[in-house]
Amino acid sequence: MKILIVDKKKLGVIFVVMGLMIFIFCIGIKLDNRIRATAFIQSNLGELKKYSSNEYKLSYKLPIKWQASKESFNGEEIGYYNNFSDIDEGINGFVQVWDYPGSFQDFLQMNKKISGTENKVENFNVSNLNIDNEKTYLITYEGDSHGDSYHAFEYFINEDGNFVKFCFYIKDNKFSSNIPSIFKAIAETVKKE
């Protein structure tokens, strides 16, 4: 039989450190949105404005200073479409909600065929993410359009049977190392209401 001797001082220190770690973690969760807002302001993007689609019960946020214009299509598959841009920062893109009858994988393959991106661009990369507890793919690449080089970030989010395509394009001369994290933070604002 072994005898276990516990040093009360060391045990007390361990409990205090564990308590502080839990406290700091909880504070971090509470401050997450405030920290993101500060990051947008420091990146010269300002505060965020909420956009929503009542039909799909879906919302997302974009920087207030970005110009946004909702458009409609005659086709049946694209149910929601909103263009956005910031000419000064060399950013443009769009948000689409698709009523695509196939699977999420079929939707991704169909988008690759439509855009033809995998053959016409450099540094084509596909990553798996999780946004709003939904399976998400991020496709990044670099390309040229009308003589301008750009970086592309295309998020494909499976949101309860509707497929959200959230795309950002930024001119090469405006690109910086913090841009991917800013675009990801904006894409993470997609929520089911």
Side-chain angles (χ1 to χ4, degrees):
M1 183 152 100
K2 293 184 178 181
I3 298 176
L4 182 64
I5 301 175
V6 178
D7 186 354
K8 291 181 183 178
K9 288 182 183 179
K10 288 181 182 177
L11 188 61
V13 169
I14 290 171
F15 281 127
V16 168
V17 169
M18 286 176 51
L20 285 172
M21 287 173 38
I22 291 170
F23 177 74
I24 290 171
F25 179 75
C26 292
I27 293 291
I29 290 172
K30 295 273 187 191
L31 293 177
D32 186 43
N33 290 336
R34 290 183 185 164
I35 291 170
R36 284 187 187 189
T38 303
F40 287 125
I41 291 169
Q42 288 179 344
S43 298
N44 200 23
L45 296 175
E47 294 183 38
L48 299 179
K49 178 181 176 183
K50 183 177 179 181
Y51 293 84
S52 60
S53 166
N54 294 333
E55 180 182 350
Y56 295 100
K57 296 184 171 95
L58 193 76
S59 69
Y60 59 95
K61 296 178 182 178
L62 295 173
I64 287 177
K65 72 180 224 168
W66 288 7
Q67 299 294 316
S69 62
K70 188 175 172 187
E71 295 182 26
S72 59
F73 287 91
N74 293 334
E76 296 177 10
E77 291 180 337
I78 300 176
Y80 177 86
Y81 187 93
N82 190 15
N83 279 314
F84 55 83
S85 66
D86 182 350
I87 295 170
D88 295 336
E89 298 298 324
I91 297 170
N92 62 37
F94 57 86
V95 178
Q96 296 175 337
V97 181
W98 286 65
D99 289 320
Y100 187 74
S103 70
F104 193 42
Q105 293 298 327
D106 292 341
F107 175 70
L108 291 171
Q109 291 302 320
M110 183 262 312
N111 271 277
K112 280 185 183 179
K113 287 177 187 173
I114 289 173
S115 65
T117 53
E118 70 272 9
N119 297 325
K120 300 178 183 177
V121 297
E122 297 176 3
N123 300 324
F124 186 85
N125 187 27
V126 179
S127 325
N128 293 324
L129 301 172
N130 192 357
I131 293 180
D132 194 25
N133 294 321
E134 296 291 348
K135 190 171 189 176
T136 303
Y137 289 94
L138 168 62
I139 297 177
T140 58
Y141 56 89
E142 298 168 20
D144 290 309
S145 177
H146 307 304
D148 287 327
S149 296
Y150 65 91
H151 294 261
F153 298 83
E154 298 180 350
Y155 293 86
F156 295 87
I157 307 166
N158 183 359
E159 191 64 67
D160 288 340
N162 295 314
F163 304 128
V164 179
K165 184 177 179 181
F166 210 143
C167 298
F168 303 91
Y169 306 98
I170 183 166
K171 290 184 178 180
D172 191 44
N173 63 347
K174 299 286 186 171
F175 184 79
S176 66
S177 61
N178 65 339
I179 290 294
S181 58
I182 290 171
F183 289 162
K184 182 177 185 247
I186 293 172
E188 287 175 342
T189 65
V190 172
K191 301 280 184 238
K192 198 74 172 174
E193 295 184 331

